[in-house]
Amino acid sequence: MFLDDERSRRLRPGILTDLVGQYMNDRERAALLGLPPTTRIRERAKVVDRERLEIGDHCWIGEGAVLDASGGLSIGEHTSIGPNVLIFTHSSWLANMTLANHTGSDLNQHKPVRIGKGCFIGGNSVIMPGVVIGDFVTVQPLSTVTKDLPDRSLTAGNPARVIRRIDAEYVEAEVRRVRAAAETPDSQESACPTASTPPLSSATASSSETGTSSDRTA
């Protein structure tokens, strides 16, 4: 049974878009949503309020990710959002607490989220409303980001905290290392620089209590 009220008519196009998108590849799905042609969005990923999403070129959205843009969401170029990442720009908490959780409640609060360019948001992480994530930030998988994160930082945990800075010199050294490994036929190291987040070892972090690895697959 299909309802024929104003809300149903407003939601129906998005439902149909999600349905059709299940039968497309990642680039076709991005085109269907009106995203940049260089962006890829994997299956089961969902964008809420597409018209309020601003996203740059060469972005990647993983399987099962939910991008809530109802409060405004900006994602910079060359940023990857890992599988099952949840980005929230609104909260119904106050509406729940006051038994006012009805459609259109004036107690639903909206706060925009901004994620900078060149960021890597690891799988199964949660980004809370109102957060600003700077440029070139790595968020390790299973993290919960509740406050702003500075540029070029490696962060992890619940709530996420800064583990160390990732300066340009470190990135350049990693580029040289990965390319050298790719040129060595018998190397056991992956030649793909985006297959995992930076290791939390004594060489790259000041603390090692959150030694997780990314599940990002391009």
Side-chain angles (χ1 to χ4, degrees):
M1 175 181 177
F2 294 94
L3 299 176
D4 191 29
D5 53 58
E6 187 278 332
R7 179 174 182 270
S8 297
R9 290 191 295 271
R10 176 169 51 86
L11 294 178
R12 194 85 62 207
I15 295 171
L16 294 175
T17 296
D18 289 342
L19 179 62
V20 172
Q22 294 179 24
Y23 301 95
M24 295 180 166
N25 64 37
D26 50 6
R27 292 181 63 186
E28 293 168 340
R29 195 174 294 112
L32 178 67
L33 292 173
L35 304 181
T38 54
T39 290
R40 293 168 293 156
I41 180 167
R42 300 286 292 176
E43 57 270 18
R44 301 187 309 281
K46 183 176 181 62
V47 178
V48 179
D49 281 357
R50 163 64 187 93
E51 63 276 8
R52 304 205 65 187
L53 169 66
E54 297 179 4
I55 188 167
D57 292 326
H58 302 286
C59 289
W60 184 88
I61 312 298
E63 292 88 338
V66 176
L67 278 58
D68 164 27
S70 62
L73 175 59
S74 173
I75 300 174
E77 61 182 340
H78 293 272
T79 285
S80 288
I81 307 295
N84 301 311
V85 167
L86 305 178
I87 302 176
F88 294 110
T89 62
H90 87 282
S91 173
S92 64
W93 174 82
L94 191 56
N96 297 130
M97 295 297 100
T98 57
L99 302 182
N101 191 35
H102 52 75
T103 299
S105 173
D106 62 348
L107 297 182
N108 288 332
Q109 303 173 82
H110 294 80
K111 296 180 180 179
V113 167
R114 178 191 176 277
I115 300 174
K117 63 183 179 181
C119 291
F120 187 108
I121 311 299
N124 294 288
S125 292
V126 178
I127 313 298
M128 297 300 288
V131 164
V132 175
I133 297 176
D135 296 334
F136 306 107
V137 173
T138 295
V139 176
Q140 290 279 42
L142 302 172
S143 298
T144 300
V145 181
T146 60
K147 61 182 181 180
D148 295 355
L149 299 176
D151 293 351
R152 294 192 176 277
S153 58
L154 171 64
T155 65
N158 182 4
R161 62 184 183 85
V162 175
I163 302 298
R164 61 154 290 160
R165 279 183 51 78
I166 306 176
D167 57 30
E169 289 76 13
Y170 171 73
V171 173
E172 291 170 2
E174 285 294 286
V175 168
R176 291 192 296 270
R177 179 184 63 80
V178 169
R179 286 177 174 167
E183 295 172 357
T184 305
D186 59 349
S187 173
Q188 298 297 311
E189 187 171 11
S190 169
C192 179
T194 59
S196 65
T197 54
L200 288 178
S201 65
S202 58
T204 61
S206 58
S207 174
S208 61
E209 63 263 31
T210 54
T212 55
S213 63
S214 171
D215 56 359
R216 189 250 203 250
T217 55

